[in-house]
Amino acid sequence: PSGIITIPVVVHVIYNHSGENLSDAQIQSQIDVLNEDFRRLNADADNLWGQAADAEIEFCLASRDPYGDATCGITRTQTDSIKFYSKFTMKSSATGGIDPWPYQDYLNIWVCDISGLLGFARFPEYSDPELYDGVVTDYLSFGRIGNLKEDFNLGRTTTHEVGHWLNLRHIWGDGDCFYDDFVSDTPVSDDHNYGCNPGHISCGSVDMVQNYMDYSDDVCMNLFTIGQKNRMRALFEPGGFRTSLLT
Ligand code: ARG
Ligand code: ZN
Ligand code: CA
């Protein structure tokens, strides 16, 4: 499709102690970050890479729940689980979490204590999407206000995870110089970059450490490329895996 794509989001807050029960304002700050980063309205956007793109994708907290009733797009569930060690348990009420809303209609984001990880996501082609599709972000790296982990306090973990959910691979292709991210305008790289590593060279070219799909600190990331935009938006073309979100 041409033009702006708007994705309805439900944020499932799962908390054991009150510090994990993030405020509505902190949740909204994450939605704001997504809207800035996927529209290239982020204040830290620079002109270093000419292929930086406005992906023309926006996010809004759902206003209708699966039954058609009014909602604020946030669910809150108290749990006995102090930490979630499995990638699945937060996604079911039978295991101390909460079931997803239909993946055909919503981006499900679970926010909980995932025991030291920042976040993880499901790619579009993964199995059993009705059970598992969506993004999980640790409560200490969600949004850009509140109690957040140093270096991961600008909401870019969820930007990165939503990139995966929209079919983006890590920029280094998860391998050496011969592994690809299936995007032609991102330079090959032999590994992830941590921290802030501008100008780092691998595989004979400068790494795009500023890309949201590297492992740089939040403050050092600021772009998706045109190629990544096209790969994400292909999911919304006829026959694409995420077209049902458009209606
Ligand atoms: N390690 C995580 C993943 O592979 C997320 C990395 C997010 N990085 C960040 N600067 N917030 O999905
Ligand atoms: Zn990743
Ligand atoms: Ca590439």
Coordinates of all heavy atoms in Angstrom, one line a residue, residues 118-119 152 156-157 160-161 164 170 215-218 221, ligand 1:
L118 N 16.7 -7.8 27.3 CA 16.1 -6.5 27.0 C 14.7 -6.8 26.3 O 13.8 -6.1 26.6 CB 17.0 -5.8 26.0 CG 18.3 -5.3 26.6 CD1 19.2 -4.7 25.4 CD2 18.1 -4.2 27.6
G119 N 14.7 -7.7 25.4 CA 13.5 -8.0 24.6 C 13.7 -9.1 23.6 O 14.8 -9.5 23.4
F152 N 19.8 1.8 27.8 CA 18.6 1.3 27.1 C 17.3 2.0 27.6 O 16.3 1.4 27.8 CB 18.5 -0.2 27.4 CG 19.8 -0.9 27.0 CD1 20.7 -1.4 27.9 CD2 20.1 -1.1 25.6 CE1 21.9 -2.0 27.5 CE2 21.3 -1.7 25.2 CZ 22.2 -2.1 26.2
R156 N 14.4 2.2 22.5 CA 14.8 1.6 21.3 C 14.8 0.1 21.3 O 14.8 -0.6 20.2 CB 16.2 2.1 20.9 CG 16.3 3.2 19.8 CD 15.7 4.5 20.3 NE 15.4 5.5 19.3 CZ 16.2 6.6 19.0 NH1 17.3 6.8 19.7 NH2 15.8 7.4 18.1
T157 N 14.7 -0.5 22.5 CA 14.6 -2.0 22.5 C 13.3 -2.4 21.8 O 13.3 -3.3 20.9 CB 14.6 -2.5 24.0 OG1 15.8 -2.1 24.6 CG2 14.3 -4.0 24.0
H160 N 13.5 -1.9 18.0 CA 14.3 -3.0 17.5 C 13.4 -4.3 17.4 O 13.3 -4.9 16.3 CB 15.5 -3.3 18.4 CG 16.3 -4.5 18.1 ND1 17.6 -4.4 17.6 CD2 16.1 -5.8 18.2 CE1 18.1 -5.6 17.4 NE2 17.3 -6.5 17.8
E161 N 12.7 -4.6 18.4 CA 11.8 -5.8 18.4 C 10.7 -5.6 17.4 O 10.3 -6.6 16.8 CB 11.3 -6.0 19.8 CG 12.3 -6.2 21.0 CD 13.4 -7.2 20.6 OE1 13.2 -8.1 19.8 OE2 14.5 -7.1 21.2
H164 N 11.9 -6.6 14.2 CA 11.9 -8.1 13.9 C 10.5 -8.5 13.6 O 10.3 -9.3 12.7 CB 12.3 -8.8 15.2 CG 13.8 -8.8 15.5 ND1 14.8 -9.0 14.5 CD2 14.5 -8.6 16.6 CE1 16.0 -9.0 15.1 NE2 15.8 -8.7 16.4
H170 N 18.7 -8.9 12.0 CA 19.9 -8.1 12.5 C 20.7 -7.7 11.4 O 20.9 -8.4 10.4 CB 20.7 -8.9 13.5 CG 20.0 -9.2 14.8 ND1 20.0 -10.4 15.5 CD2 19.3 -8.3 15.6 CE1 19.3 -10.3 16.6 NE2 18.9 -9.1 16.7
Y215 N 23.1 -3.8 17.7 CA 23.0 -3.9 19.1 C 23.6 -2.7 19.9 O 23.9 -2.8 21.0 CB 23.8 -5.2 19.6 CG 22.9 -6.4 19.6 CD1 23.5 -7.6 20.0 CD2 21.6 -6.4 19.3 CE1 22.8 -8.8 20.0 CE2 20.9 -7.6 19.3 CZ 21.5 -8.8 19.7 OH 20.8 -10.0 19.7
S216 N 23.7 -1.6 19.2 CA 24.3 -0.4 19.8 C 23.4 0.1 21.0 O 22.2 -0.3 21.1 CB 24.4 0.8 18.8 OG 25.1 0.3 17.7
D217 N 23.9 1.0 21.8 CA 23.1 1.6 22.9 C 22.0 2.5 22.2 O 22.2 3.0 21.1 CB 24.0 2.5 23.8 CG 24.9 1.7 24.7 OD1 24.8 0.4 24.7 OD2 25.8 2.3 25.3
D218 N 21.0 2.6 23.0 CA 19.8 3.4 22.5 C 20.3 4.8 21.9 O 19.8 5.2 20.9 CB 18.8 3.7 23.6 CG 17.9 2.4 23.8 OD1 18.3 1.3 23.4 OD2 16.9 2.6 24.5
M221 N 21.6 4.8 18.2 CA 20.8 4.3 17.1 C 19.9 5.4 16.6 O 19.3 6.2 17.4 CB 19.8 3.2 17.5 CG 20.4 2.1 18.3 SD 19.1 1.0 18.8 CE 19.9 -0.5 18.5
Ligands
ARG1 N1 19.1 -8.2 22.2 C1 17.8 -7.8 21.8 C2 17.4 -8.5 20.5 O1 18.2 -9.1 19.8 C3 17.5 -6.3 21.8 C4 18.6 -5.3 21.6 C5 18.1 -3.9 21.7 N2 19.2 -2.9 21.7 C6 19.0 -1.7 22.2 N3 19.9 -0.8 22.1 N4 17.9 -1.3 22.9 O2 16.2 -8.6 20.1

